[in-house]
Amino acid sequence: MKLHSFQHYSHGLETVVHDTWITARVKSALTLADTTLGLNVHVKTHAGTVALSGRVNTHRQCEQAVAVARSVPGVVNIDASELLTHVFTPGHPPEAPNAEDTPERRSDDK
């Protein structure tokens, strides 16, 4: 019984070490590809699935981050659902597309 328990524990430990190795390799590859990606993209790995999160400036950088992560050996799947792009120009307040300068007013007249 103890041998089975040890084997189960060592397999779990092996998975954690492997995931940590993948996370480090993906983070390193992102930094080498583009310093901005290395700084703004957060990486977590669970059972070979890499989760990318954070904010980048363009959709092209999102695609680049996914491509770089996919190129790392050992990556099984990529979840980039939490990787977002800025929708505003740096130094300016965020604004919805086609937003008008004046607020919409509704009259209660019917």
Side-chain angles (χ1 to χ4, degrees):
M1 191 72 166
K2 289 183 181 182
L3 180 61
H4 181 270
S5 172
F6 178 74
Q7 288 173 341
H8 179 72
Y9 174 76
S10 66
H11 177 69
L13 183 60
E14 179 181 324
T15 302
V16 169
V17 169
H18 187 66
D19 286 344
T20 302
W21 181 83
I22 290 173
T23 298
R25 293 283 306 225
V26 170
K27 192 68 172 174
S28 176
L30 288 170
T31 303
L32 288 173
D34 184 350
T35 307
T36 305
L37 292 178
L39 292 172
N40 296 327
V41 177
H42 307 287
V43 181
K44 290 184 181 179
T45 307
H46 180 69
T49 298
V50 174
L52 302 175
S53 62
R55 287 193 182 271
V56 293
N57 293 323
T58 65
H59 290 290
R60 174 170 258 167
Q61 285 182 323
C62 281
E63 293 168 357
Q64 182 183 12
V66 170
V68 168
R70 190 169 277 129
S71 72
V72 172
V75 173
V76 176
N77 196 11
I78 297 176
D79 175 14
S81 61
E82 296 295 319
L83 187 58
L84 307 171
T85 57
H86 292 287
V87 293
F88 61 92
T89 306
H92 294 83
E95 185 174 298
N98 301 323
E100 297 179 18
D101 291 337
T102 59
E104 181 181 349
R105 295 181 191 261
R106 293 184 181 178
S107 64
D108 291 342
D109 302 330
K110 287 192 179 183

